[in-house]
């Protein structure tokens, strides 16, 4: 029995595609990867090297194999269903669960099962679909994302990603500067960099402003934590897989109860779009920097929980359960 993964035909590699490749490499090492399927041309780049790429129309999938398709590409389910594979939809963002699914077509009528990228996504899917899926979380590259020997002195350096709700990030900056005219701040846009460049930029920052939403299990805040940054901002809902409030009376998600974790408060988190809250959170982070309050120890512990070994255990558990599934193909 082999596992096959569909790789979507995107022009650039997304965070979701990177996680698909992480899973593929884990399976390849385990000897359980049949191949990574593509429509027309396999993607290039160092991230894709050394893996078995197979054109979808020629894949030697067999009945009983497992076929994983990311959410948003329902047409890609067909090759696996026709060959009698146990087909899994891997949802990496709760907001895309129905993306690409034609009107009048319901997940409940299709012979597929599901995987989720985080606890919040699994909870959302349970409310919608009636069954809680297994979880396969992303893994951090801890060799690349690690803290520096020391952070730079002088001005407070706040990193942010302009591609994540740029207008809201600008509002937060303006509010913070309006309220704190005497605070010396350097705003560090993290954009257009390769992954080593992102890691280097994060190591140069004291605080990372998180402005992305909606999210499934956002990696940039985890990468920032691994690089020794305090974090402030939005959760995208999926961030509650690891985000926990430093302040006990801080914002909490409605209806969802986060799982127990050992690290405790690791950031100042606010409702998505709450620009004033995020600006106030930056103030609290700036005030906490000299005292530290063991926050960086908690962020390091958080990042450490998302390693490759933890991901491997989740992959083995999820696919082993799927192999025992009673689902039948079309």
């Amino acid at each position: 029995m082999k596992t096959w993964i569909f790789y979507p035909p995107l022009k650039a590699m997304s965070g979701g595609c990177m996680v698909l490749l992480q899973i593929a490499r884990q399976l390849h090492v385990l000897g359980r990867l049949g191949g990574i399927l593509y429509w027309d041309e396999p993607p290039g780049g160092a991230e894709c090297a050394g893996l078995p790429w197979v054109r979808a129309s020629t894949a030697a999938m067999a009945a009983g194999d497992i076929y994983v398709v990311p959410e948003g590409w329902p047409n890609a389910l067909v090759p696996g269903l026709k060959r009698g594979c146990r087909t899994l939809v891997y949802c990496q963002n709760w907001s895309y669960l129905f993306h690409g699914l034609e009107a009048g077509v319901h997940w409940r009528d299709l012979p597929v099962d599901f995987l989720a990228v985080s606890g919040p996504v699994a909870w959302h899917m349970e409310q919608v679909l009636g069954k809680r899926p297994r979880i396969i979380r992303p893994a951090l590259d801890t060799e690349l994302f690690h803290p520096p020997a020391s952070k730079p002195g002088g001005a407070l350096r706040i990193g942010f990603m302009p591609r994540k709700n740029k207008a809201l990030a600008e509002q937060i900056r303006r509010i913070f500067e309006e309220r704190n005219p005497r605070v010396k701040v350097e705003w560090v846009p993290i954009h257009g960099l390769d992954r080593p460049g992102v890691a280097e930029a994060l190591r140069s920052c004291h605080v990372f402003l998180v402005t992305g939403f909606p999210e499934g299990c956002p990696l940039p805040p985890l990468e920032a934590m691994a690089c020794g940054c305090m974090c402030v901002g939005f959760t995208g809902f999926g961030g509650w897989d690891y985000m926990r409030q430093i302040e006990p009376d801080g914002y909490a998600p409605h209806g969802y109860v986060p799982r127990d974790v050992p690290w405790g408060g690791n950031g100042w988190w606010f409702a998505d779009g709450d620009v004033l809250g995020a600006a106030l959170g930056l103030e609290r982070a700036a005030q906490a920097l000299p005292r530290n309050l063991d926050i960086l120890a908690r962020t390091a512990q958080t990042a450490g929980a998302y390693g490759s070994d933890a991901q491997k255990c989740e992959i083995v558990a999820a696919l082993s359960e799927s192999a025992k599934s009673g689902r039948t193909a079309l």
Side-chain angles (χ1 to χ4, degrees), residues 26 30 32 134-137 307-321:
Q26 297 269 28
L30 292 168
R32 297 176 62 174
R134 278 278 191 171
I135 298 170
I136 298 178
R137 295 176 173 87
S308 179
D309 289 344
Q311 184 190 59
K312 182 191 297 183
C313 291
E314 291 181 339
I315 290 171
V316 171
L319 298 184
S320 295
E321 181 178 279

Side-chain angles (χ1 to χ4, degrees), residues 15 44 51 81 89:
L51 290 168
L81 295 176
V89 176

Side-chain angles (χ1 to χ4, degrees), residues 290-313:
R291 304 191 306 274
N292 202 2
L293 300 176
D294 295 326
I295 296 169
L296 293 180
R298 289 181 230 142
T299 58
Q301 187 179 11
T302 305
Y306 286 77
S308 179
D309 289 344
Q311 184 190 59
K312 182 191 297 183
C313 291

Side-chain angles (χ1 to χ4, degrees), residues 31-312:
R32 297 176 62 174
L33 180 66
I36 308 176
L37 275 56
Y38 62 89
W39 284 139
D40 298 314
E41 296 292 335
E47 302 92 342
C48 302
L51 290 168
W53 293 89
V54 182
R55 189 182 297 274
S57 59
T58 63
M61 292 187 287
D65 283 354
I66 294 173
Y67 179 44
V68 179
V69 177
E71 94 286 352
W73 300 91
N75 289 343
L77 297 170
V78 175
L81 295 176
K82 284 186 174 180
R83 291 170 174 83
C85 296
R86 294 186 172 97
T87 302
L88 300 173
V89 176
Y90 182 35
C91 186
Q92 295 191 64
N93 194 320
W94 57 271
S95 69
Y96 296 151
L97 179 58
F98 292 99
H99 185 73
L101 202 64
E102 293 185 6
V105 178
H106 302 281
W107 282 122
R108 63 175 178 266
D109 298 327
L110 299 178
V112 299
D113 284 312
F114 296 87
L115 297 170
V117 75
S118 69
V121 172
W123 178 85
H124 175 85
M125 295 171 74
E126 183 180 20
Q127 309 313 304
V128 175
L129 305 174
K131 183 180 178 181
R132 192 177 187 90
R134 278 278 191 171
I135 298 170
I136 298 178
R137 295 176 173 87
L140 277 177
D141 184 345
T142 53
E143 293 186 2
L144 184 59
F145 294 95
H146 58 82
S150 62
K151 291 285 184 176
L156 173 68
R157 289 176 60 85
I158 301 175
F160 69 102
M161 292 186 169
R163 67 183 179 86
K164 299 279 190 177
N165 294 311
K166 183 178 181 179
L168 297 184
E170 176 64 12
Q171 286 193 56
I172 295 167
R173 182 186 70 81
R174 294 293 297 267
I175 293 170
F176 182 88
E177 291 180 344
E178 194 75 24
R179 287 174 51 88
N180 301 275
R182 293 193 177 94
V183 177
K184 294 182 179 179
V185 181
E186 293 181 15
W187 299 88
V188 183
I190 301 174
H191 182 69
L193 303 173
D194 59 14
R195 288 179 59 72
V198 170
E200 193 64 31
L202 288 172
R203 277 190 285 274
S204 77
C205 295
H206 304 100
V207 178
F208 181 65
L209 174 62
V210 186
T211 56
F213 67 85
E215 298 281 2
C217 188
L219 269 174
L222 276 174
E223 292 167 348
M225 290 180 185
C227 290
C229 296
M230 292 187 181
C231 288
V232 175
F234 311 144
T235 72
F237 185 60
W240 288 113
D241 196 70
Y242 60 85
M243 294 174 178
R244 298 295 182 270
Q245 287 287 12
I246 285 176
E247 298 177 355
D249 59 346
Y251 166 73
H254 176 70
Y256 174 69
V257 179
R259 64 186 171 127
D260 290 335
V261 292
W263 48 80
N266 56 16
W268 291 266
W269 309 112
F270 302 89
D272 297 342
D274 181 0
V275 293
L276 178 56
L280 297 176
L282 288 178
E283 292 179 3
R284 293 167 193 157
Q287 293 164 3
L289 274 171
R291 304 191 306 274
N292 202 2
L293 300 176
D294 295 326
I295 296 169
L296 293 180
R298 289 181 230 142
T299 58
Q301 187 179 11
T302 305
Y306 286 77
S308 179
D309 289 344
Q311 184 190 59
K312 182 191 297 183

